[in-house]
Amino acid sequence: MKCPHCNSDKHTTKAGLRHTRQGIIQKYYCKHCDKYFTDKTQPHTQYPLQVILYTLQCYNQGHPVKKAKTLTGKKYRYSPPERTIYSWINRYQNILTFLKLRKHYTIHPENLITTHRFHHQQIYPFTYHNLKLNLKSKHLPQLRRYVNWVERHLPTKIFLNGPRASQCTINQEITVKQKETIAPELARFAMATKRKNQSVHEVVEQFFLINDSTTICTELPVFLNPKETNLFNIETPLTGHIDLIQIRNNILYIMDYKPNLRHPEKHASQLIAYKEAIQKRTAIPYSKIKTAVFNEHSYFEFR
C-alpha cells in the first residue's frame, strides 16, 4: 500500500481496523513520514468513492440526474437520491471541472465523444470531446483543423515503421519545474474507477476526457518529417501518440501520463518531439504550446 502523504510504498504497515457504516476499513501506518491513512480516500460519506464517481461520470456523459441515478442503481446496489447527486455535483465541481460546464448545456450522450481506432503497430483509440473541441477551438482553431485532417487524411503507413517519439533522445538543456495542479488528484480519482484488465493509461485518459473541462482529446497521432527538424537525426518520419491534449488559458498543453516520475527529466526528449510535431502539423506558435508529465502524485512542466 502506497502512502498518500510521502508516496512511499516500502515503509507502510497495517495498523488496525476502523468500523464505519460502510463496514470495516483497513488502517495503515507509514514509518517514513509517521502518518496514518486508510484505503478509503473520501471520508464523511456513506457511499463508496467509485459509486460517486460513476454517478458523476454518467452525468458528465450527458445523462440527466434522474438517468444517472438509474444507471448507478443498475450497476451497484446503491441508488443515491437525486438531491444527493446534486450535492455531489456541487462538492466535486472544482476537481471534476466539466461539471461546471455541463450545467449550461443539453448534451446527447451518443454525440458527445468521437473515437477512431488506428492500427499503428498496436491499436490507438484517438478520441475527442465534441463539445470541448468546439468551445476551446475558438481561440486555437488550428487544433480543430488538425483533428479534422487526422480523421480524413492521416497517412497510416508512416506509423507502421520508423522511429518513435518515446524512443528518441536529444542533447539539449531542459528546465523541469514541478507545479501544483489538479492533474494528480484527477489521476487518483481515475484510478478509483479502474476495472480488472483495464490499462492504467486507458483509465486516466478516459477519466480526464469525460470529467476535466480542459482535456480535448486523447491519443492524438502526430508525426515529424526529417526535413522539418534539426533536433533529431532521422531519415524517416518520427511518429507518436500524445496521451492528452488540453487547452488552458488559450495555451495548448501536451500532457503525458507516466506511472513512474522519479526522474521526469528522462521524458524531456519525448515531449520535445511531441511539441515539434504538433507545431509543424498545426502551425500553432511555440509560445502557445507547453509540455508536461504527471501521475497520481506529481506534475512537472518542461521549458
Side-chain angles (χ1 to χ4, degrees):
M1 173 63 67
K2 185 174 291 187
C3 174
H5 302 290
C6 68
N7 199 27
S8 172
D9 57 0
K10 296 181 179 180
H11 302 89
T12 58
T13 59
K14 291 184 178 180
L17 301 173
R18 178 182 297 170
H19 295 267
T20 69
R21 291 173 61 186
Q22 286 182 251
I24 299 175
I25 296 176
Q26 179 67 56
K27 290 173 59 180
Y28 296 89
Y29 171 69
C30 178
K31 298 178 182 178
H32 184 260
C33 66
D34 192 31
K35 291 184 178 181
Y36 290 89
F37 64 96
T38 71
D39 54 5
K40 178 178 171 58
T41 59
Q42 295 297 299
H44 315 304
T45 176
Q46 68 182 87
Y47 295 93
L49 179 59
Q50 63 266 31
V51 172
I52 297 173
L53 295 177
Y54 179 81
T55 306
L56 295 178
Q57 189 153 296
C58 288
Y59 176 72
N60 274 342
Q61 288 174 310
H63 298 290
V65 167
K66 187 174 182 179
K67 180 66 173 179
K69 166 185 166 66
T70 301
L71 292 172
T72 301
K74 289 181 178 180
K75 184 173 179 64
Y76 300 97
R77 60 185 178 90
Y78 302 90
S79 185
E82 291 183 28
R83 65 179 181 277
T84 299
I85 297 176
Y86 281 113
S87 72
W88 292 344
I89 291 172
N90 291 328
R91 178 178 177 180
Y92 290 94
Q93 63 182 352
N94 290 329
I95 302 172
L96 311 182
T97 52
F98 186 68
L99 289 169
K100 294 181 179 180
L101 197 61
R102 165 75 176 86
K103 296 177 182 178
H104 303 290
Y105 294 91
T106 300
I107 299 172
H108 300 287
E110 64 275 10
N111 298 326
L112 188 63
I113 290 174
T114 299
T115 299
H116 297 276
R117 298 187 179 277
F118 292 114
H119 295 262
H120 295 164
Q121 300 184 43
Q122 66 184 65
I123 297 177
Y124 289 91
F126 165 53
T127 307
Y128 63 88
H129 195 287
N130 288 283
L131 175 60
K132 287 185 283 185
L133 180 62
N134 290 334
L135 293 175
K136 296 290 185 178
S137 292
K138 292 179 181 178
H139 301 287
L140 289 175
Q142 304 98 314
L143 177 62
R144 181 180 178 82
R145 287 197 290 267
Y146 181 63
V147 167
N148 291 339
W149 182 87
V150 166
E151 288 185 293
R152 296 171 173 80
H153 307 295
L154 185 70
T156 298
K157 288 184 179 180
I158 66 172
F159 288 85
L160 301 180
N161 298 290
R164 297 280 298 168
S166 57
Q167 301 168 342
C168 67
T169 57
I170 183 174
N171 293 321
Q172 182 174 325
E173 187 175 344
I174 301 296
T175 301
V176 183
K177 185 176 182 179
Q178 186 170 6
K179 289 192 172 184
E180 295 294 326
T181 74
I182 64 171
E185 190 164 9
L186 273 172
R188 290 195 293 273
F189 276 6
M191 295 307 296
T193 69
K194 185 178 181 300
R195 303 187 304 271
K196 291 183 179 179
N197 302 322
Q198 196 175 17
S199 74
V200 174
H201 267 81
E202 179 187 0
V203 171
V204 172
E205 290 173 1
Q206 287 183 358
F207 193 85
F208 272 66
L209 189 66
I210 293 171
N211 299 294
D212 174 58
S213 62
T214 66
T215 302
I216 310 301
C217 59
T218 64
E219 295 295 346
L220 177 66
V222 293
F223 61 93
L224 191 62
N225 291 314
K227 294 182 179 180
E228 293 177 327
T229 180
N230 295 320
L231 294 176
F232 303 96
N233 184 21
I234 54 175
E235 297 179 354
T236 57
L238 180 70
T239 62
H241 298 79
I242 300 173
D243 286 352
L244 300 168
I245 292 289
Q246 294 185 342
I247 296 180
R248 290 183 257 143
N249 300 318
N250 301 331
I251 301 292
L252 186 145
Y253 283 79
I254 297 170
M255 302 270 289
D256 212 44
Y257 173 79
K258 299 294 184 184
N260 184 351
L261 264 184
R262 293 181 180 176
H263 301 285
E265 67 278 0
K266 290 183 177 181
H267 309 293
S269 294
Q270 179 182 2
L271 273 294
I272 291 173
Y274 285 159
K275 184 173 183 177
E276 284 289 307
I278 202 73
Q279 197 283 324
K280 293 299 187 292
R281 303 280 70 81
T282 65
I284 295 174
Y286 285 108
S287 60
K288 291 281 188 179
I289 305 173
K290 292 187 178 182
T291 56
V293 290
F294 73 98
N295 63 11
E296 299 94 306
H297 311 288
S298 51
Y299 171 97
F300 298 89
E301 288 187 6
F302 298 96
R303 294 182 180 178

